[in-house]
Amino acid sequence: MSNNTSRMRTIFRSKTSKALDKMEDPRETLDDSYDQQVKLLQQVRQALAEVATAKKRIDLQGHEMGARYQRLAGQASEALSQGREDLARAALERRSLLERQVANLQQQFASLQKQTEQLEARERQLSEQIAAFRVEKETIKATYTASEAQVRANEAVAGIGATIDDVGTSLERARDRVAQMQARAAATDELLSSGALKDLTAAPDADIERQLAALSAQAEIDRQLQAMKQDETTSASARSGGTRDEGDEWLSIGQGPTSA
């Protein structure tokens, strides 16, 4: 059951990652939109500069025509004062023609002035929109990045959880194997001790020697019990007839039938 759950989690994480990879990254989309707006703002500012240049050129031309207009008026007055009505008439005719040209120039200047005001208003409005869009763009990007990091973190935690489950299962299997191996070791020890399982590494006839050693050990225990009984009788006689020096008793350990 745990292995199935782990596989399901792995499949789910894989599908989730693929789905996220296929999704359009909104951060790139927002940056592209911001760049396009900035380019548009640059175009508006460039157009505004061109209109301002044209308006300045018309303004300079208007000043030149205005100066000529005033000069023609002075020439007509001077010609009339000198009795040259024909020159005065020619100056006034040129002045009238120039006046029409100046009126046309004034219309162009007024049109450029209106266009300048409109472009300036658009430039201010677009600048404010771009500034607001930039703030919102960075906020959305930061939020998306944080959410993306949270998704990755959640996937990592889910992976750790699945790993912990797998580790728990591995530990449980390891405990079972250890218990089985311990039981098997104890069983083989008993079989070796009883001789039912032959130890291939032991010396030849080791089983006979082992049984003889066990018999010898049993015989030694019987002998020590018999010696203890005799010591009880000897101790009773010693209490009535005399005692042996207790300081020399250690010399008799293992030397005679009373070595118990």
Side-chain angles (χ1 to χ4, degrees):
M1 183 64 178
S2 178
N3 291 334
N4 292 334
T5 302
S6 178
R7 285 195 296 271
M8 290 297 294
R9 287 177 177 172
T10 302
I11 294 173
F12 175 76
R13 288 196 301 271
S14 177
K15 290 184 177 296
T16 302
S17 298
K18 291 180 180 179
L20 288 176
D21 292 338
K22 292 181 179 179
M23 289 176 60
E24 183 179 12
D25 193 338
R27 294 169 296 189
E28 296 180 358
T29 304
L30 290 172
D31 287 336
D32 291 341
S33 299
Y34 178 77
D35 292 339
Q36 292 176 2
Q37 293 184 45
V38 171
K39 290 180 180 179
L40 180 60
L41 178 62
Q42 292 174 351
Q43 292 175 1
V44 171
R45 288 174 175 174
Q46 184 178 357
L48 183 60
E50 293 175 354
V51 170
T53 301
K55 188 177 69 171
K56 185 64 176 177
R57 186 161 49 247
I58 291 177
D59 184 55
L60 293 174
Q61 188 176 359
H63 279 84
E64 293 178 358
M65 295 176 70
R68 183 187 175 192
Y69 183 81
Q70 295 296 332
R71 188 169 59 254
L72 287 173
Q75 290 175 350
S77 178
E78 182 179 357
L80 187 60
S81 64
Q82 293 181 4
R84 294 292 306 271
E85 183 177 346
D86 56 333
L87 291 179
R89 183 180 297 275
L92 290 175
E93 289 176 352
R94 293 181 183 179
R95 186 171 183 266
S96 178
L97 179 61
L98 185 61
E99 185 176 351
R100 290 194 296 270
Q101 293 177 352
V102 169
N104 186 30
L105 197 65
Q106 289 173 347
Q107 291 179 356
Q108 294 181 14
F109 185 84
S111 177
L112 289 176
Q113 179 64 31
K114 183 177 180 180
Q115 189 175 2
T116 299
E117 293 175 355
Q118 292 176 347
L119 287 174
E120 288 177 348
R122 297 292 185 274
E123 191 272 339
R124 288 192 300 269
Q125 183 180 5
L126 189 57
S127 297
E128 293 174 357
Q129 290 178 352
I130 291 176
F133 180 82
R134 182 178 182 277
V135 173
E136 186 174 3
K137 172 179 75 75
E138 296 300 327
T139 302
I140 293 175
K141 287 175 61 177
T143 303
Y144 182 86
T145 301
S147 299
E148 185 181 38
Q150 185 176 1
V151 170
R152 304 302 184 197
N154 291 340
E155 289 180 350
V157 170
I160 292 174
T163 303
I164 291 176
D165 293 339
D166 294 340
V167 170
T169 303
S170 300
L171 286 175
E172 188 64 26
R173 289 199 302 268
R175 292 191 186 100
D176 293 340
R177 292 297 300 276
V178 169
Q180 293 175 4
M181 191 59 66
Q182 289 176 340
R184 184 176 179 182
T188 53
D189 284 342
E190 293 179 358
L191 292 174
L192 283 173
S193 298
S194 64
L197 183 63
K198 185 176 181 180
D199 186 3
L200 298 178
T201 63
D205 304 326
D207 55 339
I208 297 177
E209 293 180 1
R210 184 169 57 251
Q211 296 182 35
L212 290 175
L215 293 174
S216 298
Q218 187 64 37
E220 178 63 21
I221 292 174
D222 293 340
R223 185 189 64 76
Q224 289 181 9
L225 289 173
Q226 185 63 33
M228 290 175 66
K229 293 178 182 179
Q230 292 178 0
D231 286 343
E232 288 295 330
T233 304
T234 303
S235 297
S237 300
R239 283 194 296 270
S240 60
T243 61
R244 182 172 58 185
D245 188 1
E246 294 181 356
D248 295 334
E249 288 183 356
W250 66 276
L251 295 175
S252 63
I253 295 177
Q255 300 298 323
T258 60
S259 61

